[in-house]
Amino acid sequence: MTIETAIAELETLLGERFSRSKSDLDQHSHSETYFDPIKPDGVAFPETTQDVSEIIKVCSKHNCPVIAWGTGTSLEGHSLAVRGGVTLDLSLMNKVLEVNAEDMDVSVQPGLTRMALNDELRATGLFFPVDPGANASLGGMASTRASGTTTVRYGTMRDNVMGLEVVLADGRIIRTGTRARKSSAGYDLTGLFVGSEGTLGIITELTLKLHGQPPAIGAAVCAFKTVGDAVDTVIETIQMGVPMARIELLDAASVAAVNAQGALGLPEQPHLLVEFHGSESAVAEDAETLKEIANEHRSISFNWATKTEDRNKLWQVRHDAYHAITQSKPRSTALVTDVCVPISQLATAIEETQTDIENSPIEGPILGHVGDGNFHAILLVNPQNTAEIRVAKELSAKMAERSLRLGGTVTGEHGVGMGKLDLMQAEHGDAWSVMGLIKKAIDPKSIMNPGKLVNQN
Amino acid sequence: MTIETAIAELETLLGERFSRSKSDLDQHSHSETYFDPIKPDGVAFPETTQDVSEIIKVCSKHNCPVIAWGTGTSLEGHSLAVRGGVTLDLSLMNKVLEVNAEDMDVSVQPGLTRMALNDELRATGLFFPVDPGANASLGGMASTRASGTTTVRYGTMRDNVMGLEVVLADGRIIRTGTRARKSSAGYDLTGLFVGSEGTLGIITELTLKLHGQPPAIGAAVCAFKTVGDAVDTVIETIQMGVPMARIELLDAASVAAVNAQGALGLPEQPHLLVEFHGSESAVAEDAETLKEIANEHRSISFNWATKTEDRNKLWQVRHDAYHAITQSKPRSTALVTDVCVPISQLATAIEETQTDIENSPIEGPILGHVGDGNFHAILLVNPQNTAEIRVAKELSAKMAERSLRLGGTVTGEHGVGMGKLDLMQAEHGDAWSVMGLIKKAIDPKSIMNPGKLVNQN
């Protein structure tokens, strides 16, 4: 067995930093969603870029798959070893390497989590804004082109990664990008590796853009009679150019799930959760504009969270909503959809999705980063119930087809992994085969996270 | 001759839309800088994507190079037919295809110029912000990853292209991206083709982000004793988070050249030209902050341009500065450098460059988009004088080496073309070979703009 030969060499090479223990294999066999657990053949714990390079050289020699692992919080089975091989757990590579406060950038290792980075940055007056909810690793966030609640203001990982160090499938170490704010020096390799889900190489260092901590932050919670009213409020606010830092939708079912966790006691109606960053006066002015627009769309209530603790509680609730929803149905797991459409199509997309879910036998609360046109139905299924899983997959496929028809994408921020592989041809047509050409050119033996993102015969 | 065979087939295919006339070949043999003219073997004038596809199929069959031509305003010889072949003049593909005002995006053909687009958008309240100075075609701007004066606020072409239609080297037509504001659906092919300089395919359609026309615009002109003072003002303003729409430096020599054109009569000192976009009150507040910071850095004057005509005159002067500088020395052409460094290194980079130029026998006024850390020395040379050209190339190489040492790039916005090819290995190391792998995978016969951007043996 070629994988077995690689494993034996890696055991010699890494000693205690290589494991085949049941607990380590188990821990790296799970995803957060409905996929069955899949164990890798071994787990490596590199500490340096050189370690990663040497591991990959061994794997390359023996055609052994290599799968990167950050915090295991991805939602499309990205880090499952579907063809066996070695999982590269990057949690020991978790250092901040260099903070350049004057240039508002930072270099970090890939296993560092976004919250740990922001803890280290607190005294500098700077912060890293991309916030997918989970306390994901920054390497993982780059690999899935993560975004989340703050994207409407600060962009996605694509917009906030300036440069990378990457170990290629042959063990070579390359650097992409520079610390300059822009460049026209050839193909945008940084942009290519961001979102490549470990299929082209392993990210071993990231240079990230930072942003100034805003002088003032304000948050608003606003209830509506219908999702349509809430979405129309979002569209109008965006078109007015009101600079929101976050604007999140929770439908009534999501609010009910959140309430069941005893948190905020919100009325069980569709809600917008909004945050503004800026000067005191700008924040107040923007909130007033939002309130007027919401009123025009028959808002039921508009509460302004001025205290930091109230605001933090609010966003904690939003972050915990996914778990609150999955816990709202006993023994359930979730198939999380992730479409993103042009904002003019958002109300149509959400309303038609709600109707489909209402007409189905399963539940699916909806929440989303509606300022980007991105929303998720959390389709609740019993993982043992194949009929439920089939229904959820049909609902998901219908949402994807609708999103493409409306000019959108089948995944706004979760990525392809295994879960969205079947939708790539529909979204990209012949362009998907170009992705395959790139994959084959950079990873000719297909050892880097095989079975994900591209079509590999 | 394989090229001759292709030419004969194209003459039959295209009839009057294919030319081998001396005037057409001459017109497509020039660049705006110091490169010797190089004539293509023929010029095709496609009107549709299908035309482009059929032309490329013929060229592919006969291994005939294909070079895209927008307005011919690129600065690194991108559109010169260094290996002969067919120049694809895209000027007839110049339509606005679809304005989606609600979603703030637009679909256009590649031959449309940025000014023509903004003329068409005027009534919508929206505009396309990327402004490289020249009235370049949007396809050309995407191909070189252009940026310019407004990038500090609105980003580069990389940030403003949402999707593309591209004809590949085998004539296949693909689409990249969607009209959704973000996506995690696989490799970022849009980002890969933006900046690929026609070496991977021909862009036949672009979907672009639009922005709301600002309610108020203010402009300031500020003179300083030294370039260092001006740059320190920029750095501090950026770090304070003052949102500038443009912040441009002209050194004293640039101002002298501009004055010689009889335009503004500015004191012959280093100047910052700044523009603010926002509400009336925000613009006034931001300008006041800039004025205070400039004062702390010994500014000599601070003039506020409130009238539209004064502001337009100011920016016309900035746009014409390149020509004013080249006209300041009889019979001269320019070797235009284009480094971009982290902003903390900007003063060092500019001051050391000025010293080098002062110690050389040639002149080289400096101007730049200093908010991005990007500046240009316009090195004036007599195109017949090989000694001057050699000196200019040595100065340029020294600037490039310094930029890399300071964490920057050898080209902030002009691209690679022929002119920066020799610097790619130094900037990218092994990552340059990855660009070569991608080129070979997507254009295996190397017919798409050969001799540019990548290493082609």
Side-chain angles (χ1 to χ4, degrees), chain B residues 215-230:
Chain B
I217 301 178
V221 190
C222 190
F224 292 87
K225 285 185 185 162
T226 67
V227 163
D229 288 339

Side-chain angles (χ1 to χ4, degrees), chain A residues 140-201:
Chain A
M141 286 169 64
S143 293
T144 54
R145 203 182 295 123
S147 47
T149 55
T150 58
T151 297
V152 66
R153 169 81 176 244
Y154 297 101
T156 71
M157 287 302 280
R158 178 185 190 276
D159 306 305
N160 286 285
V161 177
M162 302 171 68
L164 296 170
E165 181 187 72
V166 177
V167 181
L168 299 175
D170 57 5
R172 272 190 304 165
I173 301 161
I174 62 165
R175 284 189 168 268
T176 72
T178 70
R179 291 211 303 110
R181 285 274 151 170
K182 65 183 192 184
S183 172
S184 286
Y187 305 155
D188 180 8
L189 295 185
T190 305
L192 180 65
F193 283 100
V194 170
S196 67
E197 306 187 353
T199 63
L200 299 177

Side-chain angles (χ1 to χ4, degrees), chain B residues 10-50:
Chain B
L10 290 172
E11 282 180 323
T12 308
L13 179 73
L14 296 169
E16 286 188 353
R17 287 181 293 122
F18 191 81
S19 171
R20 305 194 76 180
S21 75
K22 185 176 180 310
S23 67
D24 276 327
L25 297 185
D26 275 351
Q27 195 196 326
H28 296 85
S29 72
H30 290 285
S31 84
E32 295 226 341
T33 54
Y34 66 99
F35 302 104
D36 290 330
I38 303 172
K39 283 183 197 167
D41 291 286
V43 184
F45 295 89
E47 289 177 337
T48 64
T49 300
Q50 205 53 48

Side-chain angles (χ1 to χ4, degrees), chain A residues 103 145 158 185-186 188 344 428, chain B residues 103 145 158 185-186 188 344 428:
Chain A
D103 296 314
R145 203 182 295 123
R158 178 185 190 276
D188 180 8
S344 66
H428 299 295
Chain B
D103 296 313
R145 204 182 295 122
R158 178 184 190 277
D188 180 7
S344 65
H428 299 295

